[in-house]
Amino acid sequence: MATNEPEHEHRDAEEAGANEDEDTGAQVAPIVRLEEVAVTTGEEDEDAVLDLKSKLYRFDKEANQWKERGAGTVKLLKHKSTGKIRLVMRQSKTLKICANHFVKQGMSVQEHVGNEKSCVWHARDFADGELKDELFCIRFASIENCKAFMQKFNEVAESEVEKEESKDASDAAGLLEKLTVEETKTEEKPVEKVKTEVEAEERQKASQRKLMKKRKPKRLLLPQLKVHQCLSSFGEVLLKPISVLMHPSRVY
């Protein structure tokens, strides 16, 4: 009994080949044209000193349990100009910030009890737009990554302590230098004051000498006038008897 299945298969193959070779030439223009937009992450002025995939948890005090913040990449970023290092973690798909805080002196990360792939630390976090005291727990895919994170984190915290100590030492040195300069100025000030007083005294004496020179002739003339007056009056007294003798009729 004959069958038409091979003919049908052959016909279908020919039609499929014809459809593949056919080119309609139609072009579909996009309904909305999207322009390329530059996206800034705030990390342009920072260099990554650590970059590891992990999953982050935060401890909820009210519920008294750990809650997942997200899975993604945790980074330690060093600022190019200030040298400050901060911890930043974003979710892998949405890039939402899970953690964002500086690594400061006094901070330390410790291994989570019972899990060598996890570690915990306290921080004042700014991931939600405001500072909050958070207890974080981070879990890595391997023990090596967890140890690398702990080692780098603690190294950064210790370096911040050294920077703070050196800053305090430089500030103290600056204060001592300023104090020494002020003491030197204070010691030199009385010498300038004495010098000024001596010059003022000399000027006063010079002005007094000039005044004495101007007044000296007047003081010499006064005694001379008094002597002449006395001599003239004395002469009149001496001459009185002579005049009487010369004019006996005149009564004085």
Side-chain angles (χ1 to χ4, degrees), residues 65-180:
Q65 62 179 357
W66 290 100
K67 290 187 176 181
E68 183 177 342
R69 290 281 286 183
T73 302
V74 61
K75 297 180 182 179
L76 291 178
L77 302 175
K78 183 177 181 180
H79 199 276
K80 295 178 181 179
S81 59
T82 63
K84 293 183 177 181
I85 297 179
R86 63 170 178 151
L87 183 147
V88 177
M89 182 171 176
R90 298 176 182 270
Q91 293 181 4
S92 57
K93 294 181 180 180
T94 62
L95 298 180
K96 181 181 178 181
I97 296 177
C98 304
N100 180 20
H101 64 80
F102 284 107
V103 180
K104 298 182 178 180
Q105 61 170 341
M107 296 177 64
S108 63
V109 60
Q110 300 175 354
E111 183 180 325
H112 193 280
V113 178
N115 192 343
E116 296 181 353
K117 297 181 182 180
S118 302
C119 53
V120 295
W121 75 96
H122 284 276
R124 287 182 61 80
D125 188 66
F126 197 73
D128 295 332
E130 58 181 350
L131 287 174
K132 292 182 180 180
D133 292 327
E134 298 285 3
L135 175 60
F136 289 117
C137 176
I138 193 168
R139 188 176 66 188
F140 296 92
S142 64
I143 298 174
E144 290 75 14
N145 287 349
C146 183
K147 289 183 178 180
F149 174 80
M150 292 175 60
Q151 181 180 357
K152 194 64 180 179
F153 190 102
N154 291 329
E155 286 178 0
V156 172
E158 290 175 1
S159 66
E160 290 296 323
V161 173
E162 295 176 358
K163 288 180 183 178
E164 192 68 23
E165 290 176 354
S166 63
K167 182 181 178 182
D168 293 340
S170 61
D171 291 344
L175 290 174
L176 288 174
E177 185 178 358
K178 184 178 179 181
L179 181 61
T180 304

